[in-house]
Amino acid sequence: MIFFLVIIIAIIFYGMQVKEKDRFHTDYCSKKQTATVNAIFSLLIFLSHSAQYITLGGPLDEPYLAFRKYIGQIVVASFLLYSGFGIMESINKKGSSYAMDIPKKRFFRLWYHYAIVVAMFIIVGLIFKRHYELKDILLAFTAYTSVGNSNWYLFVTFAMYIIIFVSFFVFRKNKYIAVGAVILLTGVFAAVEYKAGMGARYYNTIFCFPAGMVFSLLKPYIDKIVMKNDTLWSCGFAVLFAAFYIASRHRGSSFVFNIFAILAVAMIMMINMKVKIENPILDFFGNHIFSFFILQRIPMIILSQLSLSKHKYVFIIASFIATVCIAPIFDSLMAKLDSKIYKA
């Protein structure tokens, strides 16, 4: 597995652009740059998911397993934080009316894309003689349960869309109070998930979403200070790194892990102020984030049913190629469907 990790690192360095002294990339939070960061993590998620279908061990796998254990759920932190940031940026530009459109333009669009994928997984499961209870099928369409697909991230995202809508509906006249309400309701929701016995993955990075919204509000002030010169940037990064290191020592707590994850993305953003990562490979994955993430288990399931998982490296490569092929097709079909549903 270390071989695949090295390839990802090489892709990151391909086309990297470093700013000279006291100069910064002001577009470090642009849609393209955040998509690039998410693309990197989507590749790591792919490796993590594929590892669930094969047996790993030996000197070539141990370094990857140690790396995977250390970062844990951080692989999804940037997705959550940048989503919160993007929504808040849109609210800043378009007003609270943007939040009022979340149920139709974000929630429903994401849900029916996801519902189509769930149907695909059910069909694959039935082909391989898997039995589903009716309640499991119905709950799968809410992302509360799974029929072989990745679900918890979508469950959290749907919940955050509802929380943001409710918060801005009630406090539409004051975006700062509304964001405060988002933080409070996120805490309540995380507590409910914990009490309900849901896995830690459902709530140990959830605060990344409101953290992205808070960052959107503070970004102009942070940029003005941190991007003044390299000395201030270095001091800011050192403080973040120290906090990240301390949090990493206590990340067994879900609350601390949220802080750990937020600090990880904050450091990535600071690095992006000086270093821009940009190349055609990451552009591709950045353009197909959702489909590459949500569809990858389909070829993994099929190939494991065909016993190809016994040959772990062949399995990973074959699953990767298959996902890369079907993701653009899925996105193209969804774009056509979107154009029918969301007519101008």
Side-chain angles (χ1 to χ4, degrees), residues 5 67 69 87 95 99 123 125 133 169 177 216 218 236 308 327 340:
L5 194 58
F67 170 77
K69 181 179 179 181
I87 288 176
I123 292 170
E133 296 290 342
F169 180 79
I177 296 178
S216 172
L218 298 178
L308 198 62
K340 299 289 185 183

Side-chain angles (χ1 to χ4, degrees), residues 6-234:
V6 169
I7 291 176
I8 293 174
I9 294 172
I11 290 172
I12 294 172
F13 278 93
Y14 171 52
M16 183 179 287
Q17 303 171 33
V18 181
K19 277 289 187 180
E20 58 270 26
K21 183 179 179 182
D22 294 332
R23 301 291 295 275
F24 300 89
H25 292 288
T26 57
D27 62 344
Y28 70 97
C29 273
S30 66
K31 186 176 181 179
K32 184 172 183 179
Q33 190 60 202
T34 56
T36 297
V37 172
N38 285 341
I40 295 169
F41 282 111
S42 72
L43 293 173
L44 292 175
I45 290 171
F46 175 86
L47 288 184
S48 181
H49 284 173
S50 64
Q52 297 171 15
Y53 298 86
I54 58 180
T55 302
L56 296 178
L60 295 179
D61 293 335
E62 290 301 331
Y64 167 74
L65 291 172
F67 170 77
R68 180 189 175 198
K69 181 179 179 181
Y70 180 78
I71 63 173
Q73 291 297 102
I74 282 182
V75 291
V76 301
S78 68
F79 292 85
L80 292 166
L81 194 144
Y82 286 145
S83 291
F85 172 80
I87 288 176
M88 195 65 228
E89 286 289 285
S90 295
I91 292 173
N92 287 334
K93 294 173 183 176
K94 302 175 183 179
S96 59
S97 61
Y98 179 84
M100 298 304 99
D101 285 336
I102 284 177
K104 177 182 178 181
K105 294 185 177 179
R106 293 190 75 114
F107 185 99
F108 179 68
R109 185 195 298 261
L110 178 61
W111 177 81
Y112 78 74
H113 286 193
Y114 175 73
I116 290 171
V117 172
V118 169
M120 293 168 64
F121 272 90
I122 292 172
I123 292 170
V124 170
L126 292 175
I127 289 173
F128 290 106
K129 311 298 182 183
R130 182 172 179 177
H131 174 71
Y132 300 106
E133 296 290 342
L134 179 60
K135 69 172 184 176
D136 293 331
I137 292 176
L138 295 177
L139 288 174
F141 284 100
T142 69
Y144 182 74
T145 61
S146 168
V147 285
N149 58 294
S150 299
N151 67 304
W152 76 263
Y153 175 81
L154 276 301
F155 182 77
V156 167
T157 301
F158 292 145
M160 289 309 305
Y161 283 169
I162 294 171
I163 287 172
I164 292 170
F165 170 74
V166 171
S167 298
F168 278 87
F169 180 79
V170 176
F171 301 106
R172 66 181 72 188
K173 293 183 178 180
N174 192 313
K175 62 184 179 182
Y176 299 99
I177 296 178
V179 171
V182 170
I183 296 171
L184 177 61
L185 290 176
T186 300
V188 171
F189 180 66
V192 170
E193 289 182 303
Y194 174 76
K195 289 293 184 180
M198 300 176 76
R201 62 187 180 278
Y202 282 86
Y203 48 81
N204 67 2
T205 54
I206 196 172
F207 279 97
C208 289
F209 214 113
M213 301 182 77
V214 172
F215 175 70
S216 172
L217 296 174
L218 298 178
K219 184 177 181 295
Y221 309 102
I222 294 173
D223 287 357
K224 189 174 181 179
I225 297 172
V226 176
M227 299 175 75
K228 194 169 186 179
N229 54 58
D230 280 1
T231 300
L232 289 172
W233 178 87
S234 298

Side-chain angles (χ1 to χ4, degrees), residues 320-340:
F320 182 80
I321 292 173
T323 308
V324 167
C325 289
I326 63 177
I329 297 173
F330 177 84
D331 284 338
S332 177
L333 293 174
M334 290 305 99
K336 292 179 180 178
L337 185 57
D338 289 346
S339 67
K340 299 289 185 183

Side-chain angles (χ1 to χ4, degrees), residues 3-4 7 43 46-47 50 284-285 288 291-292 295-300 302-303 308 312-330:
F3 173 73
F4 298 111
I7 291 176
L43 293 173
F46 175 86
L47 288 184
S50 64
F284 172 84
F285 291 102
H288 302 287
S291 55
F292 181 74
L295 294 172
Q296 58 191 235
R297 288 188 184 272
I298 290 179
M300 290 178 187
I302 294 172
L303 293 174
L308 198 62
K312 55 186 178 181
Y313 299 122
V314 175
F315 172 83
I316 293 171
I317 294 171
S319 297
F320 182 80
I321 292 173
T323 308
V324 167
C325 289
I326 63 177
I329 297 173
F330 177 84

Side-chain angles (χ1 to χ4, degrees), residues 70-71 73-74 77-78 80-81 183 200 203-212 239-269:
Y70 180 78
I71 63 173
Q73 291 297 102
I74 282 182
S78 68
L80 292 166
L81 194 144
I183 296 171
Y203 48 81
N204 67 2
T205 54
I206 196 172
F207 279 97
C208 289
F209 214 113
V239 170
L240 278 178
F241 182 80
F244 174 80
Y245 175 75
I246 294 171
S248 72
R249 301 290 298 273
H250 305 281
R251 67 185 187 277
S253 159
S254 293
F255 176 76
V256 176
F257 198 95
N258 271 280
I259 297 173
F260 176 60
I262 291 168
L263 291 170
V265 183
M267 288 197 300
I268 290 170
M269 289 192 290

